[in-house]
Amino acid sequence: MSEGHTPTPTTVATVAALLHAAARSPLDPREVRILLAHALGWPRTALITRDQDRLEPAAVARYQALAQRRLAGEPVAQLLGQREFYGLEFSVTPSVLIPRPETELLVEQALLACVGIVAPALLDLGTGSGAIAIALAYGRPDARVTATDRSVEALGVAQQNADRLLPTDRAGGALRLLAGDWFAAFESNAAVQTQGTLRATDTSDADTSGPSVAGTATTQAAVAQRFHVIVSNPPYIRADDPHLLQGDLRFEPRGALTDEADGLSAIRAIVAGAPAHLLADGALWIEHGYDQAPDVAALLRTRGFDAVESIADLAGIDRITGGRWRCA
């Protein structure tokens, strides 16, 4: 984002004056209102109904600090510390990818794939903030949902979101979080989730005496190894893509955006490993880049998946591709 004038001087003390001054800045007017309401702790409608209220200097300073950070390019979601996804408000930090609307396609297709299945077992690979896994758990209260990520920091964010958004008495139990790179999370030294804590352990010597989010200690051996549906939004941007150096992407974890290769290496690993973790007729759905649908479909077919198809997002871009595994 280009540099511009400071949106307001600190002497301005009403909403109307702040918005008038911000009109001369390069900030998007909608973002100005979002940041101002957040700084004031008001609903956005109050910016209209209370536009002549005099504001405390501390509140004005909070808004100005947020505006300056946005001018420097920081994503609004990180400034607010939250982003809406599938009707739920998720906490986000610089440690996780910001949930995006097009990723809701993964949730929709996963839910469709398990229609008619009682207590389906679902797996989200590379969960980040937990947005996909938690949306699935919320949409199917009876589903047994597992999520993995190689980042312990990301799993901590996912844990916080799960604690806040999912009922403790949901029929499918608590969200299970495992630390590891894709399916390696199911191998020795997988993470064990206990109430409010993530810790690594060798499952041959696991302490199962303490409570977990599911009510009993969750070890690698206790986690379902095969699933009805596997979904993933892996890093799929090519390492040389200039978009990595532009806009919000500059502030998101690079490892969640790019595989530092051709954009398909993580997808290859997921497609290769999925059959060992899918039940018969299980489904695999993967988000990918705007031009990668043919490549992902070819990978699925070559691996032995059938009913392979791609689904377009609202912009008409093939955004996710999936298929069925008949050979478990």
Side-chain angles (χ1 to χ4, degrees):
M1 181 176 294
S2 63
E3 294 183 358
H5 300 294
T6 301
T8 63
T10 55
T11 55
V12 176
T14 68
V15 167
L18 285 170
L19 293 178
H20 177 74
R24 300 192 298 272
S25 86
L27 285 178
D28 180 276
R30 178 176 175 273
E31 292 183 354
V32 168
R33 291 179 175 275
I34 290 172
L35 296 177
L36 181 54
H38 180 73
L40 297 174
W42 293 1
R44 267 184 274 171
T45 54
L47 299 180
I48 299 172
T49 60
R50 300 176 60 183
D51 69 330
Q52 295 302 320
D53 286 13
R54 294 191 63 82
L55 305 176
E56 294 293 330
V60 176
R62 286 195 299 272
Y63 160 69
Q64 289 178 326
L66 290 173
Q68 287 298 333
R69 290 169 63 188
R70 182 57 184 147
L71 282 169
E74 286 190 58
V76 171
Q78 289 182 5
L79 295 176
L80 303 183
Q82 63 186 32
R83 169 61 67 87
E84 186 272 338
F85 179 83
Y86 215 74
L88 302 170
E89 287 288 342
F90 286 87
S91 296
V92 296
T93 74
S95 297
V96 299
L97 198 67
I98 297 170
R100 289 166 168 80
E102 56 267 28
T103 303
E104 293 183 358
L105 281 172
L106 283 177
V107 178
E108 294 170 359
Q109 289 304 311
L111 293 176
L112 285 173
C114 60
V115 169
I117 301 173
V118 177
L122 311 178
L123 173 62
D124 173 26
L125 294 170
T127 195
S129 66
I132 295 170
I134 291 169
L136 290 171
Y138 192 89
R140 277 295 300 263
D142 64 328
R144 295 163 290 142
V145 184
T146 300
T148 75
D149 205 289
R150 64 184 176 184
S151 167
V152 173
E153 290 80 8
L155 289 173
V157 176
Q159 174 69 72
Q160 293 171 9
N161 281 321
D163 288 345
R164 182 170 50 84
L165 295 171
L166 295 177
T168 57
D169 60 348
R170 65 179 297 274
L175 174 66
R176 295 185 176 96
L177 297 172
L178 299 178
D181 198 11
W182 312 128
F183 298 107
F186 295 97
E187 299 173 359
S188 179
N189 294 316
V192 170
Q193 174 107 37
T194 59
Q195 186 69 51
T197 305
L198 277 168
R199 56 189 175 87
T201 185
D202 186 330
T203 55
S204 64
D205 190 31
D207 174 11
T208 60
S209 60
S212 77
V213 291
T216 58
T218 303
T219 68
Q220 174 227 350
V223 175
Q225 297 292 298
R226 288 186 180 268
F227 300 87
H228 294 96
V229 185
I230 298 175
V231 294
S232 183
N233 178 18
Y236 55 72
I237 301 177
R238 291 186 302 273
D240 60 354
D241 192 316
H243 291 95
L244 290 168
L245 304 177
Q246 301 171 8
D248 290 0
L249 298 189
R250 294 172 296 160
F251 294 86
E252 296 182 80
R254 185 176 173 93
L257 295 166
T258 178
D259 59 357
E260 301 296 352
D262 64 353
L264 292 169
S265 63
I267 295 174
R268 291 189 191 98
I270 292 168
V271 172
H277 295 275
L278 280 170
L279 292 163
D281 203 36
L284 171 64
W285 283 96
I286 299 172
E287 181 173 329
H288 49 69
Y290 73 97
D291 60 350
Q292 293 172 327
D295 292 325
V296 177
L299 288 170
L300 288 166
R301 292 191 179 100
T302 299
R303 187 64 180 88
F305 285 83
D306 64 7
V308 174
E309 63 175 322
S310 297
I311 306 293
D313 60 21
L314 292 178
I317 298 169
D318 284 339
R319 181 58 60 185
I320 66 172
T321 297
R324 291 276 184 173
W325 180 253
R326 311 290 190 187
C327 307

